[in-house]
Amino acid sequence: MTDKKVIVIGAGPAGMMTAGAAAENGAQVLLLEKNQKVGRKLAITGKGRCNITNFCDTDTFIAHLTANPRFMYSAINRFSCYDTVAFFEEKGLRTKVERGNRVFPESDKALDVVDTLYRYLTDLGVAVIRSEVKGLMIENGAVIGVSLADREVFADAVIVACGGMSYQATGSTGDGYTFAKAAGHTITPLLPSLVPLTAIDQDVPQLQGLSLKNVMLTVKDNSTRKEVYREMGEMLFTHFGISGPLVLSASAHMRQMSPGRYTVYIDMKPALDEETLDKRILRDLSEFTNKDIINSLGKLLPKKLIPVVIRRAGIEPHTKCHTLTAEQRQALLTQIKHFSVDIQAFRPINEAIVTHGGVDVKDIDPRTMQSKLVKGLFFAGEVLDLDAYTGGFNLQIAYATGRLAGESAAL
């Protein structure tokens, strides 16, 4: 037990876990948050349901990280995904495991997760104050506190846990990068990750609002001709391009974005091989033999998709089904199995779920989360150059790094 004074900047998932861990280890903790409420971003994650973590072992967790996975070994071994579930259950939050081992609150309310973390803090006597930090105070290679708008606050340790650049309306405006840079840290390039994609294709806006389920999405890098992502699930067409769970996950595999570099291919009928699908098309065509092709594919495709698929296949919409040639049928099949969308760019970083890039982990001790450059300065959560695929892994990064930083700062 210690009587160290610890300041935590940012009351998101990393900051709240950090503050609690430091207080549990005897530190006097001050948690500073510039928003009116704690956990604003956490409260809207998972469409308001909050995918708390992923119920998986350490190897699986590490395999789902997209930046600096080896750096996370100490933190995740100290506070695993299973530990996170146990932590929330012990604090009275009942959880459930859904598809892909995603863990959610049984109530389906993200606010219950926020409230649980906030109670955890207040029960431990953490002082939560609404105040915006203007900068770190550093003397002789050690942090001595922070400067606020109206005063200076001194401490034995400061933990920067104020998030990245995504969802800026929730307060993630990159303050942590400013603090880190002023302390001599390198900030790796900041890119959106888990973000919707804008499309080059002219006919994609016609599909706005169309949601597809149980489709196979493949991403190919046209510069290397290599496949960089393939997964089955759900996606959505928007006015600008494509979004949805599959697209967000795919974006984490796409780096150095440039117009046309990546093409997304959508298999509308992944359960059917080409031979089986051809028989299915023939059956539908024979059923509507005297009808126009534009009015004959309703059993096979969503209504909104039919005109686009027919046009791309080079078939005149009012072609009678019984006149369709084998070549036209093959062109139709190709569009159903390999519907392509050429990608223009990522949507802005403000629309991303997480930020790729951040404080370079080469200058952070992975065993403590302490800066190697400034004594008493720690980092936790999204401000670090750490991110992962969807499924609760990014929040687990926040909890695990936060736990380790808080415990280390209190020692």
Side-chain angles (χ1 to χ4, degrees):
M1 301 293 279
T2 72
D3 58 356
K4 271 193 172 181
K5 292 182 179 178
V6 174
I7 292 173
V8 180
I9 307 172
M16 287 193 280
M17 186 63 82
T18 299
E24 276 186 355
N25 285 271
Q28 297 177 43
V29 184
L30 173 62
L31 177 58
L32 299 170
E33 170 56 55
K34 66 180 181 181
N35 287 320
Q36 292 279 4
K37 296 180 179 179
V38 301
R40 279 193 64 188
K41 184 177 175 183
L42 187 61
I44 62 172
T45 59
K47 296 179 181 177
R49 293 179 64 217
C50 187
N51 181 186
I52 299 169
T53 187
N54 195 281
F55 201 68
C56 67
D57 59 26
T58 295
D59 289 342
T60 302
F61 170 78
I62 293 293
H64 281 80
L65 302 190
T66 52
N68 301 307
R70 291 182 63 189
F71 179 85
M72 278 298 299
Y73 271 109
S74 292
I76 196 63
N77 282 324
R78 173 63 192 87
F79 196 71
S80 71
C81 300
Y82 301 137
D83 292 330
T84 294
V85 175
F87 169 87
F88 281 106
E89 290 277 356
E90 286 166 7
K91 302 293 180 291
L93 183 75
R94 296 181 66 89
T95 62
K96 58 182 176 179
V97 180
E98 296 188 0
R99 182 176 56 85
N101 288 324
R102 289 168 164 83
V103 180
F104 290 90
E106 207 172 71
S107 65
D108 284 327
K109 293 179 181 177
L111 282 172
D112 289 347
V113 181
V114 177
D115 290 344
T116 301
L117 284 168
Y118 186 66
R119 279 197 309 273
Y120 166 58
L121 300 179
T122 52
D123 288 349
L124 288 166
V126 173
V128 183
I129 295 177
R130 181 178 178 266
S131 186
E132 184 172 355
V133 176
K134 297 299 182 182
L136 306 176
M137 297 191 296
I138 298 171
E139 281 187 7
N140 301 319
V143 70
I144 60 169
V146 300
S147 57
L148 308 179
D150 58 345
R151 61 194 167 111
E152 296 177 335
V153 183
F154 294 88
D156 300 295
V158 174
I159 305 168
V160 177
C162 43
M165 290 285 286
S166 56
Y167 285 130
Q168 292 177 17
T170 64
S172 298
T173 51
D175 297 347
Y177 306 131
T178 303
F179 303 148
K181 203 168 183 180
H185 283 271
T186 299
I187 308 300
T188 61
L190 304 175
L191 298 168
S193 190
L194 306 181
V195 67
L197 303 170
T198 62
I200 295 171
D201 302 79
Q202 296 297 309
D203 52 14
V204 167
Q206 296 174 44
L207 302 173
Q208 179 180 349
L210 175 62
S211 179
L212 299 176
K213 295 183 178 181
N214 300 318
V215 296
M216 181 70 75
L217 186 143
T218 303
V219 179
K220 288 189 178 176
D221 183 338
N222 297 317
S223 66
T224 62
R225 299 183 181 179
K226 290 183 178 179
E227 182 181 300
V228 298
Y229 178 79
R230 178 188 288 262
E231 192 64 62
M232 191 165 162
E234 301 177 21
M235 63 163 292
L236 172 73
F237 286 96
T238 69
H239 67 284
F240 56 76
I242 52 177
S243 187
L246 277 179
V247 175
L248 298 183
S249 293
S251 72
H253 297 259
M254 303 161 75
R255 303 295 183 210
Q256 278 120 29
M257 175 68 77
S258 59
R261 174 172 177 173
Y262 295 99
T263 299
V264 168
Y265 294 92
I266 305 159
D267 183 350
M268 311 287 179
K269 299 293 177 184
L272 304 178
D273 60 26
E274 294 205 358
E275 185 180 348
T276 307
L277 179 58
D278 190 38
K279 290 177 181 176
R280 169 72 190 277
I281 292 171
L282 275 170
R283 191 167 70 243
D284 284 10
L285 292 177
S286 62
E287 184 179 344
F288 303 105
T289 183
N290 293 315
K291 282 193 170 185
D292 295 346
I293 186 69
I294 191 76
N295 299 321
S296 306
L297 298 176
K299 290 184 176 181
L300 196 62
L301 296 170
K303 186 177 180 181
K304 210 173 234 186
L305 196 57
I306 294 171
V308 177
V309 166
I310 289 173
R311 182 169 64 252
R312 286 190 173 199
I315 302 170
E316 204 279 322
H318 298 293
T319 302
K320 299 298 180 185
C321 289
H322 69 272
T323 68
L324 213 65
T325 66
E327 289 77 14
Q328 287 175 316
R329 203 171 70 244
Q330 179 59 46
L332 188 63
L333 186 149
T334 299
Q335 288 302 319
I336 295 171
K337 293 290 285 182
H338 307 280
F339 188 92
S340 65
V341 179
D342 291 321
I343 302 304
Q344 173 80 25
F346 295 122
R347 288 292 286 175
I349 197 168
N350 186 36
E351 295 179 28
I353 293 177
V354 295
T355 307
H356 176 76
V359 178
D360 195 333
V361 296
K362 291 176 184 175
D363 292 331
I364 307 296
D365 186 341
R367 298 163 300 175
T368 61
M369 295 295 139
Q370 183 170 207
S371 167
K372 294 178 182 178
L373 309 180
V374 180
K375 186 179 178 182
L377 178 61
F378 297 77
F379 294 89
E382 195 181 343
V383 70
L384 291 163
D385 184 8
L386 297 168
D387 60 279
Y389 304 135
T390 56
F393 302 102
N394 286 288
L395 277 179
Q396 183 60 39
I397 291 173
Y399 308 134
T401 56
R403 195 89 196 160
L404 187 53
E407 291 173 348
S408 303
L411 295 178

